[in-house]
Amino acid sequence: MTDTATAELKKTSLHARHRASHGRMVPFAGWEMPVEYAGIVSEHMAVRTRAGVFDVSHMGEIEIAGKNALAAVRRIACNDAAQLAPGQAHYSGLLTPEGTFLDDMVVYRMAPSHFLLVVNAGNVARDYAWIREQVSTVGDAAVIDSSSRYALIALQGPASRATLQPLTAVELGELQAFRFAHGEVAGARATISRTGYTGEDGFEIFVPPNMAERVWAAILESGRAADVVPVGLGARDTLRLEAAMRLYGNDIDESTSPLEAGLGWIVAWDNETFIGRDRLLEQKARGVSRKLVGFEMVDRGIARHGHQVVCDGGAVGMVTSGTHTPYLKRAIGMAYVPVEQSRPGTELAIDIRGRLSRARVVPTPFYKRDRDAQPAKGSPLISR
Amino acid sequence: MPYPDDRQYTKDHEWIRISGDTAEIGITDYAQEQLGDVVYVDLPDVGASVKAGTAFGTIESVKAVSELFAPMTGSVIEVNSRLKDHPEVVNSDPHSAWMIKVRLANAGDTGSLLDSAQYQALLG
C-alpha cells in the first residue's frame, strides 16, 4: 500500500476512536477501517457472550422518496416493500435483469412514501447510478445518496439491550426484530433498528456523523460493567459466517441468483414488477443446477474463498467463504456445489493449495442463538 | 515484548536458537502479531529435510495463511506436537513456542541471520 493510496481512503467519523483503541486499520472498500482491536477471537467471543460495538459507517445509505417511492422500490428490489409498515425493515436484493445480485441490502420503510436502503460500501456508487436510472422510468420519486449523512454504529450480543437502554427513552423491549424507532441515544438524534449481521440480538443505530463519537463513547461507558468491547471487521466476518449470512463479493455477486444462494425467501413472487423476475421464474421452473451450501472441514485446514471443490479430478464448485470459527472452534465455510452434492452429509473434496482435503455438507446456520437465553444470575448486567 | 539475545532472526520473521549442531525454530512476536489468532500449524515430519530460505510448513490464523521459512539447512529431529492441539501458544508465547528442532547441516553457516538488535532495527 503506497502513501498515495492510503491518503485516498475515506475515514469514518469514528476514525480517531479506532486509533485511540489501538485498532489495526486496513483498507476496505475504499475506507480505512479497523480489522481488529484486541484480536478476532476475543472480539468474536465478546459478541457471542456479552456484547460488542462496531463502526459500520462505511455502509451506504440510499433514500427513495416521493409519490411513487413504493412503486420504485418494488421495481428495483426483489422482496416486496409493500409488506413493510412504516417502522419496519427487511432483507432484500438489488438484481440485474438476469436475476443475479447487483447488491444485497436492508430496506427500511421510514414513512409511507419514504424508504432507506442500506447497501454495501463498495457498491454505493454503482447501486446509486443503477437505482436512479431505473427509478427515472417509474417517475415521481427522488433518489438520494445520503451515505455521508449517517454514521452507523452496531451494538450486538446478549448484553446489547441492557447496555443501550440506559442511554435512550425508546423502549427497546418493545422493538421487535427488523423494527426501528426514532429517538435519542446519549442526547443525539438517532434511528434505532433491531437488526444486525452477527446472528445475535442487537441494534444498529443511525446517528449524525458529528454525534458518532459521543454515542460510541456512551455505549462503551454504559457497557463497561458487562465488558462491552469495540469489534472490528475481522470478527464481523467470522460472526456473520457462523450465522451463515451472505457476504456480497464473496458468497453472492453478479454471477449468482437468490435461488442459487439459498435466498429464495427474499424473492417475493407476489411482487410482479421487480427487475430480474422473469429470469428467476425460468430458473425456478427449470430448477437450479448449483446451490450455496454450508460445509465443515473433516480434514485439518481452512478452505478459503476461491478454493475449488473437486470431483473426479475436475472443478465442480467453489468455496465462497471459509474460516476457523472462534465460537464453534471448527473450520467451516460456504461453497457453490452441484445440486446433487448439496445434501447435508455429502462429502466434498476441496483443493486447499494443492492438497485435497475432505469436507462435509452441513445444515446452516452453523450457529443459532438460544432466543430464550437470559444473562446468568448475579451477572453485573442485572445486579446493577 | 523483548527479542531475546540467545538466538538469531530472519527477515521473514522466524527465530532460530542454535545449540551445538542442533537448533530450535519458531516465529517472532512481530510475526504472530501480524498473523493474529493462530488456529493451525502444519509442520513436516521427523526426518524431513529443510533448506535455508525455503518453506518447511504453513501457519494459519483466522485471517490468513502464511508459509514458514527455514532459517538454515538441516534435517528435522523433533516436532513440537503441543502446537497441534494448542496452536494459540504461538500467540501467547511466540519465543518459547518452537516449532521444529533440526540437526544443522552446517552450524557455522549463520551469515545471513540477524542478531536481536539488527532484527529490532529491521522492525523500526
Side-chain angles (χ1 to χ4, degrees):
Chain A
M1 177 70 38
T2 66
D3 287 341
T4 340
T6 308
E8 289 164 5
L9 292 174
K10 289 182 274 190
K11 295 178 171 68
T12 75
S13 45
L14 290 165
H15 191 265
R17 304 306 319 152
H18 304 321
R19 289 276 187 202
S21 303
H22 308 290
R24 186 194 298 275
M25 307 302 286
V26 298
F28 180 82
W31 294 80
E32 191 180 335
M33 297 297 291
V35 64
E36 61 180 337
Y37 304 85
I40 293 176
V41 171
S42 70
E43 292 165 29
H44 183 113
M45 294 304 288
V47 173
R48 289 276 178 256
T49 59
R50 309 189 307 273
V53 59
F54 306 68
D55 178 12
V56 285
S57 301
H58 61 303
M59 300 293 286
E61 286 87 8
I62 294 172
E63 294 183 61
I64 303 178
K67 189 159 86 57
N68 282 342
L70 176 59
V73 176
R74 294 185 86 220
R75 172 104 185 105
I76 58 157
C78 66
N79 209 330
D80 190 354
Q83 294 168 357
L84 296 174
Q88 220 178 336
H90 66 198
Y91 182 49
S92 190
L94 188 68
L95 305 186
T96 67
E98 300 303 308
T100 60
F101 280 103
L102 273 171
D103 207 351
D104 63 339
M105 59 190 175
V106 175
V107 175
Y108 293 77
R109 192 166 195 177
M110 309 297 276
S113 293
H114 178 192
F115 295 84
L116 181 143
L117 282 37
V118 175
V119 302
N120 285 293
N123 294 339
V124 183
R126 189 181 70 168
D127 290 354
Y128 177 60
W130 170 260
I131 292 170
R132 275 186 71 110
E133 190 187 325
Q134 304 312 315
V135 170
S136 69
T137 67
V138 178
D140 262 342
V143 183
I144 317 165
D145 175 0
S146 54
S147 302
S148 63
R149 295 186 198 174
Y150 297 101
L152 185 54
I153 296 171
L155 175 62
Q156 302 275 298
S160 295
R161 185 177 148 195
T163 301
L164 187 58
Q165 190 63 83
L167 304 177
T168 182
V170 172
E171 186 41 71
L172 300 177
E174 288 168 15
L175 201 58
Q176 294 171 14
F178 281 91
R179 301 294 204 281
F180 60 95
H182 305 291
E184 286 191 354
V185 172
R189 183 166 50 82
T191 298
I192 305 172
S193 167
R194 199 149 198 171
T195 47
Y197 194 50
T198 60
E200 291 301 327
D201 184 22
F203 302 89
E204 290 176 301
I205 306 158
F206 299 80
V207 294
N210 64 352
M211 290 291 172
E213 287 206 326
R214 171 186 185 148
V215 173
W216 179 268
I219 289 171
L220 284 173
E221 180 58 33
S222 173
R224 189 195 293 257
D227 200 12
V228 174
V229 296
V231 181
L233 294 182
R236 183 170 157 86
D237 188 50
T238 53
L239 287 159
R240 70 91 195 164
L241 183 50
E242 267 185 356
M245 290 167 155
R246 279 63 169 162
L247 173 61
Y248 191 86
N250 274 41
D251 310 308
I252 53 175
D253 60 23
E254 270 188 79
S255 72
T256 53
S257 84
L259 303 183
E260 293 171 321
L263 295 175
W265 59 275
I266 66 167
V267 179
W269 299 108
D270 289 347
N271 173 4
E272 292 179 358
T273 62
F274 76 83
I275 294 165
R277 185 172 184 272
D278 293 346
R279 299 305 293 270
L280 287 185
L281 274 174
E282 287 168 27
Q283 196 176 53
K284 188 182 178 213
R286 200 171 58 230
V288 296
S289 59
R290 59 176 185 163
K291 266 175 140 171
L292 189 67
V293 296
F295 65 81
E296 63 180 50
M297 296 304 300
V298 175
D299 291 330
R300 276 162 58 88
I302 302 175
R304 296 186 188 266
H305 179 78
H307 290 167
Q308 289 180 332
V309 180
V310 176
C311 190
D312 298 329
V316 295
M318 195 188 86
V319 175
T320 57
S321 288
T323 193
H324 187 276
T325 76
Y327 187 81
L328 301 172
K329 296 187 169 53
R330 288 200 298 265
I332 61 165
M334 294 196 281
Y336 283 101
V337 297
V339 166
E340 50 276 17
Q341 285 181 257
S342 66
R343 193 186 299 269
T346 307
E347 194 164 282
L348 304 174
I350 299 175
D351 183 345
I352 301 181
R353 296 180 298 279
R355 177 160 51 176
L356 280 192
S357 302
R358 288 174 301 158
R360 188 172 42 232
V361 177
V362 296
T364 55
F366 305 96
Y367 167 84
K368 198 164 176 22
R369 79 183 155 100
D370 177 1
R371 280 165 198 275
D372 299 325
Q374 297 292 328
K377 277 213 169 76
S379 77
L381 256 180
I382 43 181
S383 63
R384 190 171 48 173
Chain B
M1 186 178 287
Y3 291 88
D5 282 329
D6 63 353
R7 66 195 72 190
Q8 289 161 295
Y9 301 86
T10 70
K11 293 186 176 72
D12 298 318
H13 310 290
E14 281 91 16
W15 56 258
I16 179 165
R17 183 159 60 177
I18 301 170
S19 165
D21 67 346
T22 67
E24 294 173 351
I25 294 168
I27 66 166
T28 67
D29 181 52
Y30 174 83
Q32 70 77 21
E33 201 182 299
Q34 294 299 311
L35 281 166
D37 303 291
V38 173
V39 290
Y40 294 114
V41 185
D42 259 340
L43 298 172
D45 295 328
V46 169
S49 304
V50 299
K51 187 162 174 273
T54 62
F56 69 84
T58 56
I59 184 165
E60 187 145 23
S61 70
V62 173
K63 270 192 299 207
V65 58
S66 301
E67 292 193 308
L68 297 162
F69 293 99
M72 292 175 73
T73 298
S75 61
V76 179
I77 54 173
E78 200 177 338
V79 173
N80 188 349
S81 56
R82 184 161 179 240
L83 299 183
K84 189 167 180 180
D85 292 324
H86 296 284
E88 69 278 2
V89 300
V90 175
N91 293 116
S92 57
D93 203 359
H95 296 155
S96 298
W98 60 273
M99 293 173 176
I100 54 172
K101 278 185 192 168
V102 297
R103 186 169 309 284
L104 300 171
N106 181 358
D109 189 14
T110 59
S112 61
L113 299 177
L114 309 171
D115 66 21
S116 171
Q118 288 168 324
Y119 180 65
Q120 287 178 74
L122 175 80
L123 298 181

